[in-house]
Amino acid sequence: MDMRNFGNISIRWKLTILIVTISSVSLLLASLAFITSDRINTQQTVSNNLATMAEIIAANSSAALLFRDGVAAQETLGFLRSQQHIQAAAIYEMDNTIFASYRKAGIDMEFPESDIQTENILFWGDHVELFIHINYQGEQIGVVYLRSNMKAVHDRLVWFLGIVAVVLLVSLLVTFILSARLQRIITDPLLRLSAIARQIRIEKNYSLRVIGESRDELGNLITDFNAMLDEIQSRDDELRENRTRLEERVTQRTKELEVANSKLATSKEQAECVARRMKYHAHHDALTGLPNRTLLNDRITTELAHARRQQGMIAVLFLDLDRFKIINDSLGHAVGDQMLRVIARRLSNNVREEDTVARLGGDEFMVLLPNISSSSDAGRVARKVIDCLIDPISYNGHKLHITTSIGISVYPHDGTDSETLIKHADISMYRAKELGRNKAVYFTAEMNAGSRKQLALETSLRQAIEKNQLKLFYQPKIDISRNTIIGVEALLRWKHPDMGMISPMEFIPVAEDSGLIVPIGEWVLKTAFAQLKQWHKAGHTDLTVAVNLSSVQLACSGFEEVVEKALQHADLDAGMTELEITENAAMENLGSAIDVLGKLKNLGITIAMDDFGTGYSSLSYLRQLPIDVVKIDQSFVREIPDSHEDVLIAQAIIAMAQSLNLSLIVEGVENVRQLNFFRQQGCNIVQGFLFSKPVEAGEISRMLTAQSIPGTVNLVK
């Protein structure tokens, strides 16, 4: 309520409101105390129940862990299906791998790591987690993890809040009724006093008096009011006294102004001090205290001027910490900030006093080396910087290792201004990362040429989209048991009017980095689906088409809607289409990939794992992904059957796919010996140069027409 409006209401209502408000606050505080106590007790009950359940699992799974009996461990977790509040559970081995796990249907989560977990229970907003050790003969052999929802706690809280609300409403109603009656004891004398005062103001009759004989504060007020009327005659004396007091007050205020002027001078000095601090913060990094980009640019400009006059040399070192994001994401920004402070101190302690160590932001640092005698001096400092980060950084029990990649540019060889030197050092830093990280690399003209080439390629690729220079080629998939083309794989090609055919290995990474892969991928889907519809209309109704997906496309929100619209635009049955992903593309964001691929599979689309065995090659990941087909990468096919190692790898992949009821496609079949090997292994679907290179749609149409005439075509060359 607005306090101005509160002052305008009657005193009776003011008293009523005050009494009700005080009663409400008291009741709310008491209710909060009871609710808090009840919640703590409920959480303790949940903790005890989870601890009991975890101890049972630990006792029953110790033998399974010792004898590596995964089935027994899984059965031990099986009884959790009857526990509605349990969302997930896992049994970890000592190497932090999950030996057995349980996840309630509909629960989408990743199991936490257990290597740093002690026996404890963690309460979160909507669930609670418990870790307990599995011991055998006094030695820890594993960890049990349980996750339960907080339904019991929440239901108890809702019930208690309902009771509190009812009690509060009834109490407020009773308080209001009582306060409305009791406040008259106070307000009636005040109303009489107010009426007499109003009558005196109107009639100027100072003989009137207020009747009242009580001895409380109100009685005193009435007595004082009556006495005031008697003292009105003495107002002239009081006026003279007030005049004297006013003069004294003026003298006092004069002295106070003098004191204020003195304080103002002090405030001016403080303001100047604040201005100096603000200037410092404007030129220094708040986290590490190092110079920031602004101050660094000023110092580089100053040192360049000195170097020009003295015909000297300076060097710029661009540092980027390797995989620092992993530390921030896994341990939190507080740990990351502490590491940055330690790294800043180490860098400052390993350069000369005249050198400048600056933080540009994030995990990027820069070192300015003025007055160097040769380029090799910069390399020695860079090696010293790399070595100073070798020792691990300790924080809260963690031993954290960090490395850095360094790019070096030298004046006057690599640039004559601040912007150019920083840019070239940045380019060479990225080259150091490409070479394996934890290295220092000098800038060369070839690096700049490579950057310009990539930029030119990106510009040309944008024009290629607008000018329809992109084309789709198709490579047939052959069912060797019937010697028949059963499908095609759509492959993107770019024919530049000046540079000719540009390899997908060159322009696809550029498209992914620039985001152009999103509109290009949408065009590929529409074009391939429309072409398949034409082949179906020509009578080849059993033909399927496969389209490759990028990790960038999988990460795009609403990608499944793009695929669905392409199917609708071509009036095509989703069951005749196949989308291929690589292992690495899926693993970049496994959770998102599982979700998107699951939605695509629900549309009826077949999902294939391309280049299998060249990426993460994890069976656990493969089981999580909703895939239907595994494609054996051509790198394992090329040396078959001469390479015993490749034969074993291929046989292992085939056995794994068969055990998971996955279809198999063999890529890169180029000779009859390879074909015969995979035929013996029971692989019927192959593709490769033995049958056909990727060709345009017209050539595929010719092949399909030829194979439809008995005895007119033999697909094996």
Side-chain angles (χ1 to χ4, degrees):
M1 177 183 293
D2 191 334
M3 294 305 296
R4 290 175 296 182
N5 295 332
F6 186 81
N8 295 330
I9 65 177
S10 68
I11 192 169
R12 289 182 173 179
W13 277 107
K14 288 178 182 177
L15 289 173
T16 302
I17 292 172
L18 288 174
I19 294 171
V20 172
T21 301
I22 293 171
S23 300
S24 301
V25 171
S26 300
L27 286 171
L28 286 174
L29 290 175
S31 300
L32 181 61
F34 289 138
I35 291 171
T36 303
S37 176
D38 185 77
R39 183 176 179 87
I40 292 173
N41 291 336
T42 306
Q43 285 184 345
Q44 185 61 45
T45 302
V46 171
S47 301
N48 293 337
N49 290 340
L50 278 182
T52 301
M53 198 173 300
E55 289 172 358
I56 293 172
I57 294 173
N60 292 336
S61 60
S62 59
L65 274 175
L66 288 173
F67 296 100
R68 311 292 299 165
D69 189 351
V71 174
Q74 197 64 45
E75 290 177 352
T76 300
L77 297 180
F79 87 95
L80 295 176
R81 295 187 180 89
S82 62
Q83 306 296 319
Q84 295 298 322
H85 62 285
I86 298 300
Q87 295 180 334
I91 298 174
Y92 292 85
E93 297 182 85
M94 291 304 294
D95 59 358
N96 197 33
T97 59
I98 296 177
F99 183 68
S101 64
Y102 162 77
R103 184 185 288 109
K104 185 179 179 181
I107 298 301
D108 185 11
M109 57 158 285
E110 293 183 3
F111 287 100
E113 296 183 358
S114 67
D115 55 340
I116 61 172
Q117 294 290 346
T118 58
E119 287 188 331
N120 61 356
I121 185 163
L122 304 173
F123 283 91
W124 305 99
D126 60 346
H127 66 274
V128 58
E129 294 179 323
L130 177 108
F131 293 85
I132 188 168
H133 293 165
I134 301 173
N135 297 314
Y136 179 75
Q137 294 184 353
E139 181 180 358
Q140 182 183 350
I141 62 173
V143 175
V144 172
Y145 162 79
L146 283 181
R147 168 172 166 155
S148 172
N149 60 37
M150 296 286 286
K151 186 175 184 305
V153 177
H154 293 163
D155 291 346
R156 178 74 176 183
L157 180 61
V158 170
W159 177 83
F160 207 98
L161 287 175
I163 298 298
V164 168
V166 172
V167 172
L168 183 62
L169 289 175
V170 173
S171 300
L172 289 178
L173 179 60
V174 173
T175 301
F176 179 81
I177 294 172
L178 292 176
S179 63
R181 293 182 178 275
L182 295 176
Q183 51 82 23
R184 291 182 178 275
I185 298 174
I186 299 175
T187 57
D188 286 345
L190 291 175
L191 291 176
R192 292 198 304 271
L193 179 62
S194 176
I196 294 297
R198 186 163 49 252
Q199 185 178 357
I200 292 172
R201 180 177 60 82
I202 296 172
E203 299 176 359
K204 307 297 182 183
N205 182 6
Y206 298 102
S207 63
L208 297 173
R209 294 293 182 270
V210 180
I211 299 175
E213 299 178 354
S214 62
R215 297 183 179 181
D216 59 3
E217 289 84 358
L218 289 175
N220 294 336
L221 177 62
I222 293 172
T223 302
D224 293 340
F225 180 81
N226 293 332
M228 179 188 67
L229 296 174
D230 296 333
E231 294 175 0
I232 288 178
Q233 297 299 324
S234 62
R235 62 183 181 277
D236 292 338
D237 296 334
E238 294 177 358
L239 287 174
R240 283 192 296 272
E241 183 180 352
N242 288 337
R243 187 181 299 110
T244 302
R245 291 177 180 176
L246 179 61
E247 292 173 352
E248 293 174 354
R249 182 63 176 164
V250 169
T251 302
Q252 181 182 357
R253 289 296 296 164
T254 302
K255 294 179 179 179
E256 290 176 353
L257 287 173
E258 293 175 353
V259 174
N261 288 333
S262 175
K263 292 181 177 179
L264 182 61
T266 303
S267 299
K268 181 179 178 181
E269 295 178 358
Q270 293 175 346
E272 292 174 350
C273 181
V274 170
R276 288 192 296 270
R277 289 200 300 270
M278 291 177 63
K279 182 178 180 181
Y280 174 84
H281 290 304
H283 292 85
H284 290 79
D285 175 54
L287 178 64
T288 62
L290 295 176
N292 59 15
R293 187 186 296 270
T294 302
L295 182 55
L296 175 68
N297 285 331
D298 291 344
R299 291 186 179 179
I300 292 178
T301 302
T302 301
E303 294 301 335
L304 282 173
H306 291 165
R308 291 189 190 100
R309 287 195 301 269
Q310 300 173 5
Q311 296 183 349
M313 299 174 65
I314 69 172
V316 172
L317 276 58
F318 198 113
L319 285 70
D320 186 271
L321 303 180
D322 299 327
R323 298 185 179 93
F324 181 75
K325 185 177 183 300
I326 297 176
I327 295 175
N328 261 348
D329 293 344
S330 60
L331 300 179
H333 289 278
V335 177
D337 290 347
Q338 180 62 25
M339 284 196 67
L340 291 174
R341 295 188 189 97
V342 174
I343 290 169
R345 288 196 297 269
R346 291 188 182 182
L347 294 177
S348 300
N349 293 336
N350 282 274
V351 297
R352 300 171 301 177
E353 185 175 350
E354 63 265 31
D355 299 335
T356 297
V357 178
R359 180 179 179 231
L360 304 185
D363 58 352
E364 293 181 341
F365 294 83
M366 187 165 286
V367 180
L368 169 63
L369 304 176
N371 301 321
I372 61 173
S373 57
S374 66
S375 299
S376 60
D377 292 344
R380 283 192 291 271
V381 174
R383 173 46 56 186
K384 191 176 180 182
V385 167
I386 290 173
D387 292 341
C388 81
L389 299 180
I390 291 177
D391 293 336
I393 298 174
S394 299
Y395 184 79
N396 283 350
H398 299 289
K399 290 284 187 179
L400 305 175
H401 296 266
I402 196 73
T403 59
T404 183
S405 299
I406 303 177
I408 305 172
S409 63
V410 180
Y411 168 85
H413 309 303
D414 303 327
T416 57
D417 59 83
S418 172
E419 181 179 354
T420 302
L421 286 172
I422 293 175
K423 180 182 73 173
H424 288 171
D426 190 13
I427 292 173
S428 54
M429 180 273 293
Y430 278 105
R431 180 58 178 164
K433 286 189 177 292
E434 292 173 1
L435 294 175
R437 299 184 176 88
N438 199 30
K439 292 180 175 60
V441 174
Y442 284 94
F443 173 78
T444 63
E446 290 77 9
M447 294 180 188
N448 201 28
S451 299
R452 289 197 299 268
K453 179 181 178 182
Q454 184 172 5
L455 180 60
L457 195 61
E458 179 181 337
T459 303
S460 298
L461 187 56
R462 294 183 186 274
Q463 296 174 353
I465 299 173
E466 300 170 358
K467 297 180 180 179
N468 298 320
Q469 296 175 0
L470 300 177
K471 295 190 67 176
L472 284 186
F473 279 49
Y474 301 88
Q475 188 174 35
K477 298 179 182 178
I478 313 300
D479 184 345
I480 59 177
S481 65
R482 296 181 294 158
N483 202 28
T484 303
I485 299 175
I486 61 168
V488 294
E489 179 181 356
L491 299 168
L492 185 62
R493 296 293 184 265
W494 177 16
K495 186 174 183 180
H496 192 276
D498 299 323
M499 295 183 285
M501 293 297 293
I502 300 178
S503 169
M505 300 295 292
E506 291 186 46
F507 72 84
I508 291 297
V510 174
E512 291 180 331
D513 290 340
S514 62
L516 292 174
I517 195 66
V518 175
I520 291 175
E522 186 172 349
W523 174 84
V524 169
L525 286 169
K526 290 181 178 179
T527 304
F529 290 173
Q531 180 60 57
L532 181 61
K533 186 63 177 180
Q534 292 183 18
W535 283 322
H536 285 182
K537 289 180 179 180
H540 311 294
T541 55
D542 294 333
L543 193 69
T544 63
V545 68
V547 178
N548 292 280
L549 296 185
S550 164
S551 60
V552 179
Q553 291 173 278
L554 280 179
C556 285
S557 176
F559 173 68
E560 62 275 7
E561 296 175 3
V562 173
V563 178
E564 190 171 7
K565 288 180 180 178
L567 289 169
Q568 294 173 353
H569 184 267
D571 189 23
L572 197 62
D573 180 8
M576 305 305 294
T577 62
E578 181 178 296
L579 296 178
E580 297 184 4
I581 60 166
T582 64
E583 288 182 89
N584 290 336
M587 293 309 119
E588 283 190 19
N589 192 335
L590 182 61
S592 175
I594 292 174
D595 180 57
V596 174
L597 294 178
K599 293 177 181 178
L600 294 173
K601 188 172 182 179
N602 289 336
L603 293 176
I605 298 172
T606 300
I607 307 299
M609 176 70 76
D610 195 10
D611 298 344
F612 184 78
T614 62
Y616 288 81
S617 299
S618 171
L619 182 58
S620 61
Y621 290 142
L622 188 62
R623 293 176 62 187
Q624 295 179 55
L625 290 167
I627 65 172
D628 307 288
V629 180
V630 170
K631 299 186 72 174
I632 301 178
D633 186 68
Q634 58 184 342
S635 62
F636 301 127
V637 177
R638 190 175 296 116
E639 302 298 329
I640 286 178
D642 297 325
S643 171
H644 179 66
E645 181 179 354
D646 287 347
V647 167
L648 293 177
I649 293 174
Q651 290 174 337
I653 295 175
I654 293 169
M656 178 212 66
Q658 291 173 346
S659 66
L660 296 176
N661 293 320
L662 299 176
S663 300
L664 267 170
I665 298 177
V666 183
E667 293 183 306
V669 176
E670 298 182 354
N671 58 62
V672 175
R673 296 177 66 208
Q674 296 168 347
L675 179 66
N676 290 335
F677 170 80
F678 285 105
R679 178 182 281 119
Q680 293 171 1
Q681 301 299 318
C683 300
N684 293 326
I685 311 302
V686 300
Q687 66 183 101
F689 287 3
L690 177 63
F691 305 98
S692 173
K693 295 182 178 180
V695 295
E696 297 188 33
E699 180 63 18
I700 295 293
S701 298
R702 187 196 65 76
M703 294 181 185
L704 293 171
T705 302
Q707 80 169 12
S708 64
I709 303 174
T712 59
V713 65
N714 183 4
L715 294 174
V716 180
K717 299 179 180 179

